[in-house]
Amino acid sequence: MASRLRGRPAHAPGQTYCSYSKNGRKLVTVGSNSLLRTFPHNSDDEPPVIDVRTDTHLAVAASNDFFLVGAEDGTVTKYSLLTNSMEEILVRCSLPIRDIALSPDNQWAAVASDEIEVKVVNTRDMEQVFYLREHPRSAKHVSFDFNNSTIAVSCVDGIVYIYSISSEQPQLLKRMDGLIKMLENDADASSRVIWHPDGRAFAAATATKDIQVVARADWKLQKTFKGGHRGDITAAAWSPNGALLATAGADKSLVLWETRTQKVVKSIEDIQDVILCLQWHPTDNVLSYTNTNGELFMRTGAVPGEHAKLLSIALQPAPFNGDPLSDISGNAIGPRSNHAKPGANGWDPASENDYVDGLLDDAIWQDGADFIEDDDGAGYAEAPNRNGKRVANGIAGPIAKRPAPYSTWQPKIHDSFQPGSTPWKGNRRYLCLNLTGFVWTVDQETHNTVTVEFYDRQEHRDYHFTDPYLYDKACLNEKGALFSCPPSAQHPAILYYRPHETWTARTEWRVNLPTSEKITSISLSDSCIVATTTAGYVRIYSLYGLPLKIYRQKSTPAVTCASWRDYVITVGNGPVGGDGTTRLLYTIENVKRDETYQSEDILALPDGVELKSVFFSDKGDPCIYDSEGVLLVLQHWRKAGEAKWVPLLDTRTLDRLAGGKKEESYWPVAVANNKFHCIILKGGEEYPYFPRPLLSDFDFRIPVSGSDEDNAELTHQKMLEEQFVRKTLEHSLAQDLVDNTHATHAQKSEVPVLEREVDKVLLQLLATECREGEERGMKALEIATLMRDQTGKMLEAAGKVAQRFQRDILAEKIASLAERRLVGIVDDDEV
Amino acid sequence: MALPLPPGLTASEVGFLCEMEFVTVIPRQRLDGLELLGGPTQPLKPPFPTPLPLWLALLLKKQKRANISPPPWLSVEGLSHILDFETDTRTAEVFSPSQALPPPMGTRRGYEDYLDAEIVDFSPPFLPKSSTTGAQAEALPYHWLEVGHLLLTHAADDFDDAEGVRRLLRDLREVRMSKLRKGFKVLDAGAGVKLNGVGAMEIAEVRGFVGGVVDGLRKINRSREESRKEREAEDRENGLGGGSYQEDDDDMQL
């Protein structure tokens, strides 16, 4: 800038604020006189003026077609940007308005005043209001994140309160103490939270006159922008792509920072007054600001030449500790956040670089759409700058790679996933989490470090190793650990098995897959290793790396696989159903005996429900867990055509959720000891994270009936009925196991025990029926006929129960039934 | 002959008794079931949580062979809920409820006792699940103070927020002690304080004082004739020797 920039006198000397409309065409300024001005972008003409009755204005927020102005008299007024006229008074407060924030979708406006509560009002319907009340003193600043779901309130007590507004009632997510300074309501200094455009982080001015970046995922402090100001920071703003940060201080300074390095790019000297409000133009290299003297500056070419390209690159990640330094070319390593793909369990089965590209594209595609809305169709988003590139990337990238969710002609394919793993969050993720232990990996920029930990510390020793192959899938059991990595430029896809203990030298081995074949899921059992690949193959190896067999899966693309001893279940996408999604088909086979038990049978899932996990229970029965929170087990699966999925537990009906107070979901880990082992996730989390949460277990409860009754007697009866169905199921599973395998003695002796338990429950049901009255005798007799006991003891006991309640007729009938059974006259079918 | 100790149990005795409570342990190594006097323990198999007596759990914890997972009431949420209940003006008069009884086992299906050989009904204050992870979150068990203290001392790293729990436990203790002391104001010869929900350690703390007060009041209020009889009886006892023993014995019964 050769010549000194001339300020535009916008308002009477005093506090002045400005806001760009979201399409960047207009800049609205408010100040301490009864005029509002809307400056058109790229024009030196005298701006249109709106005369208003209020005379001191302290806040402004603009969308594309309207803007909101907050005045010292406590009103928030909505003006149209199209007609430059007042529309309505949106909110009234009893005390001066301090800040207004518009949500990125322009639907909600958060209003901070000197009153304690923050009002969040619908901009179209002012009767829709909710209040944020958890902070004890009045709010100085409010700001929305880019997902419309979170509001950060900077309170005058020096604490940032983060609210979630995604639920019906706003919830306080976090109190961030010690981040910002305690400030007076009317102080020039700012404690505003500014959300980074990538959505993973926000930043705020600290008491030490620095800008501190905070991660949204875990509220941990990240990088700091240090040493730029001698006075308190009065305004700060991220550039639209997050690559630059502009801050202004009370020492009449204005500093531009590069986000990636946290270094000062430029310190602008010719500032006469304290800047109160900084605004980047959404697309152009223009930085506008207003000061305490009623002046507006529109600084064209604010970013000097050699750095101006920073403004035109793609969305940059927020600076995190330990994050890989991102390259400004925009197509190297990008943010590995999982927010870009919230629905999918994981990651693209593409190569590492493809995966990163995909994420980056997605991030640009989605977030870009979020933070610049092209809702007026003006086409600025197609302007021949970075946006042009972005649009092309966006269409060519994700849509081609991913199934478009709304197109009618393209089937919706279930993504492949690895049971027991989580996606990247921050720089770490779990590769495998089960009852043996857990495997997690940390991204170290050039390589990963993989850590294997065990629950049983006596049996196994924890270990970790440096991983140059970037393994992205793992399995763990008592015998060893199996890893797989996607192919890259240097190596093809690799399968790596590492046994825990051997009696010779360590016999770990690696298998290279054919070039361009990628692994979609792997599984490890006591006797074999299974990998499904993008080529549609199921590859089976022995534990010593001997390839046992390979065949092409009938239903592809493969979704996942699991194994237990010699049994292998593979799940693939089958034919497309009526709703455009593919039906999942599963196949169960025994690798050693080469028998197929179920071939391409349907994995029973209702409409719109996705498969979350597949695993074998500790008794060797296949189990699935779906996105609705239902755990199902496969009954009679050893006989072709007879298999059926039986629900074991519906986590939505758990007693702990009964009050409706808790909002939690369950992340499946295993089924063992007749219990469902899971990790409880609170607050809308989808995956477990660090530190490793505790395992919880729940007893099975088959959803036989609703539990809305207060009647204790009825509840007891329902409980018995559920017990009957559950014990019958357990008995049939055990019976199948004994009939079809070389069962151990313990397993064989379990069957009569379970049979006896079924009869016991029946006996209790019989007692409740007898207690109800004589007229329930028919049902009681039916219950008696269901008894399985062949020795007649149970029927004898049933007769005794009937006699005790003086149901003599029933007792007689039971006695005669017992007699007939004893001589073998009555078959069960005749009853 | 006089007993050297005050009547009732001392704090260390109460602390010792509480070690028989069951807590949930997450084992870090295998251990077969042990045949103990109090019954066999379940075999330990990581990572399945297993109930163990507190003393054994603390032993394993000290040897780093297990982690103890604190009961739900010993958490910031649970304790703050209980504290809210205790400090609420509407429930200012009563103590927070104790853990609910498990459903009776014997009475409901008494006619089939032959099927369940080992029907044992538990009665308060010793409930089998009061300190395991199966306990209720919003009720205190009988041994809350001792269990809380022991777990915070020896297994603080197994808590999410040990400091917060410790602080709340201290608050709760103070609130409840002040309630108990308020109860003493109405003490009279015939009056009593309702002790529903009061824990073992709290009883042990106030037993000496309350017993003394009630006994003193009884002595003041009784008729002259009674007191004469008693004095005579005492004299007789003294004549035979060991009078103070009798007095202590009286105290014990309170």
Side-chain angles (χ1 to χ4, degrees), chain A residues 27-40:
Chain A
L27 178 65
V28 183
T29 65
V30 301
S32 45
N33 59 3
S34 54
L35 297 174
L36 312 176
R37 287 169 186 262
T38 55
F39 290 85

mmCIF file of all heavy atoms in Angstrom, chain A residues 27-40:
data_model
loop_
_atom_site.group_PDB
_atom_site.id
_atom_site.type_symbol
_atom_site.label_atom_id
_atom_site.label_comp_id
_atom_site.label_asym_id
_atom_site.label_seq_id
_atom_site.Cartn_x
_atom_site.Cartn_y
_atom_site.Cartn_z
ATOM 1 N N LEU A 27 -21.581 -4.077 2.918
ATOM 2 C CA LEU A 27 -20.965 -3.975 4.224
ATOM 3 C C LEU A 27 -21.831 -3.013 5.026
ATOM 4 O O LEU A 27 -22.030 -1.868 4.625
ATOM 5 C CB LEU A 27 -19.542 -3.447 4.090
ATOM 6 C CG LEU A 27 -18.789 -3.235 5.389
ATOM 7 C CD1 LEU A 27 -18.565 -4.558 6.086
ATOM 8 C CD2 LEU A 27 -17.461 -2.575 5.114
ATOM 9 N N VAL A 28 -22.382 -3.500 6.112
ATOM 10 C CA VAL A 28 -23.277 -2.684 6.923
ATOM 11 C C VAL A 28 -22.469 -2.112 8.073
ATOM 12 O O VAL A 28 -21.698 -2.829 8.714
ATOM 13 C CB VAL A 28 -24.432 -3.541 7.468
ATOM 14 C CG1 VAL A 28 -25.400 -2.692 8.237
ATOM 15 C CG2 VAL A 28 -25.119 -4.272 6.344
ATOM 16 N N THR A 29 -22.617 -0.818 8.333
ATOM 17 C CA THR A 29 -21.951 -0.242 9.497
ATOM 18 C C THR A 29 -22.985 0.407 10.392
ATOM 19 O O THR A 29 -23.996 0.945 9.916
ATOM 20 C CB THR A 29 -20.909 0.811 9.101
ATOM 21 O OG1 THR A 29 -21.586 1.901 8.484
ATOM 22 C CG2 THR A 29 -19.888 0.251 8.146
ATOM 23 N N VAL A 30 -22.741 0.314 11.675
ATOM 24 C CA VAL A 30 -23.594 0.979 12.658
ATOM 25 C C VAL A 30 -22.675 1.733 13.604
ATOM 26 O O VAL A 30 -21.515 1.352 13.797
ATOM 27 C CB VAL A 30 -24.475 -0.003 13.433
ATOM 28 C CG1 VAL A 30 -25.372 -0.771 12.501
ATOM 29 C CG2 VAL A 30 -23.626 -0.957 14.243
ATOM 30 N N GLY A 31 -23.189 2.783 14.205
ATOM 31 C CA GLY A 31 -22.357 3.562 15.110
ATOM 32 C C GLY A 31 -23.192 4.402 16.028
ATOM 33 O O GLY A 31 -24.374 4.100 16.269
ATOM 34 N N SER A 32 -22.603 5.459 16.509
ATOM 35 C CA SER A 32 -23.300 6.220 17.531
ATOM 36 C C SER A 32 -24.008 7.433 16.939
ATOM 37 O O SER A 32 -23.840 8.551 17.409
ATOM 38 C CB SER A 32 -22.317 6.623 18.619
ATOM 39 O OG SER A 32 -21.139 7.097 18.006
ATOM 40 N N ASN A 33 -24.702 7.247 15.863
ATOM 41 C CA ASN A 33 -25.700 8.235 15.451
ATOM 42 C C ASN A 33 -26.874 7.470 14.866
ATOM 43 O O ASN A 33 -26.831 6.247 14.744
ATOM 44 C CB ASN A 33 -25.113 9.243 14.467
ATOM 45 C CG ASN A 33 -24.569 8.590 13.223
ATOM 46 O OD1 ASN A 33 -24.682 7.373 13.072
ATOM 47 N ND2 ASN A 33 -23.987 9.362 12.352
ATOM 48 N N SER A 34 -27.933 8.171 14.520
ATOM 49 C CA SER A 34 -29.150 7.470 14.141
ATOM 50 C C SER A 34 -29.174 7.182 12.643
ATOM 51 O O SER A 34 -30.158 7.412 11.968
ATOM 52 C CB SER A 34 -30.369 8.291 14.551
ATOM 53 O OG SER A 34 -30.256 9.583 14.011
ATOM 54 N N LEU A 35 -28.036 6.720 12.129
ATOM 55 C CA LEU A 35 -27.952 6.346 10.722
ATOM 56 C C LEU A 35 -27.338 4.959 10.628
ATOM 57 O O LEU A 35 -26.448 4.624 11.407
ATOM 58 C CB LEU A 35 -27.047 7.318 9.954
ATOM 59 C CG LEU A 35 -27.460 8.776 9.870
ATOM 60 C CD1 LEU A 35 -26.362 9.562 9.198
ATOM 61 C CD2 LEU A 35 -28.748 8.909 9.088
ATOM 62 N N LEU A 36 -27.826 4.166 9.683
ATOM 63 C CA LEU A 36 -27.179 2.902 9.358
ATOM 64 C C LEU A 36 -26.740 3.002 7.907
ATOM 65 O O LEU A 36 -27.481 3.526 7.075
ATOM 66 C CB LEU A 36 -28.143 1.719 9.518
ATOM 67 C CG LEU A 36 -28.950 1.656 10.809
ATOM 68 C CD1 LEU A 36 -29.900 0.479 10.743
ATOM 69 C CD2 LEU A 36 -28.030 1.518 11.992
ATOM 70 N N ARG A 37 -25.555 2.512 7.604
ATOM 71 C CA ARG A 37 -25.081 2.627 6.232
ATOM 72 C C ARG A 37 -24.810 1.240 5.664
ATOM 73 O O ARG A 37 -24.318 0.363 6.353
ATOM 74 C CB ARG A 37 -23.804 3.443 6.193
ATOM 75 C CG ARG A 37 -24.058 4.915 6.427
ATOM 76 C CD ARG A 37 -22.754 5.643 6.649
ATOM 77 N NE ARG A 37 -23.001 7.018 7.009
ATOM 78 C CZ ARG A 37 -22.954 8.027 6.129
ATOM 79 N NH1 ARG A 37 -22.669 7.798 4.876
ATOM 80 N NH2 ARG A 37 -23.197 9.250 6.522
ATOM 81 N N THR A 38 -25.117 1.059 4.420
ATOM 82 C CA THR A 38 -24.822 -0.198 3.731
ATOM 83 C C THR A 38 -23.914 0.121 2.561
ATOM 84 O O THR A 38 -24.364 0.569 1.514
ATOM 85 C CB THR A 38 -26.110 -0.877 3.239
ATOM 86 O OG1 THR A 38 -26.824 0.056 2.436
ATOM 87 C CG2 THR A 38 -26.984 -1.302 4.381
ATOM 88 N N PHE A 39 -22.622 -0.097 2.736
ATOM 89 C CA PHE A 39 -21.642 0.204 1.700
ATOM 90 C C PHE A 39 -21.621 -0.918 0.687
ATOM 91 O O PHE A 39 -21.438 -2.080 1.059
ATOM 92 C CB PHE A 39 -20.248 0.337 2.312
ATOM 93 C CG PHE A 39 -20.074 1.554 3.156
ATOM 94 C CD1 PHE A 39 -20.439 1.552 4.492
ATOM 95 C CD2 PHE A 39 -19.550 2.719 2.611
ATOM 96 C CE1 PHE A 39 -20.277 2.681 5.276
ATOM 97 C CE2 PHE A 39 -19.380 3.845 3.402
ATOM 98 C CZ PHE A 39 -19.744 3.834 4.734
ATOM 99 N N PRO A 40 -21.805 -0.623 -0.601
ATOM 100 C CA PRO A 40 -21.653 -1.680 -1.605
ATOM 101 C C PRO A 40 -20.176 -2.022 -1.765
ATOM 102 O O PRO A 40 -19.310 -1.154 -1.594
ATOM 103 C CB PRO A 40 -22.237 -1.070 -2.871
ATOM 104 C CG PRO A 40 -22.239 0.390 -2.637
ATOM 105 C CD PRO A 40 -22.174 0.665 -1.172
#
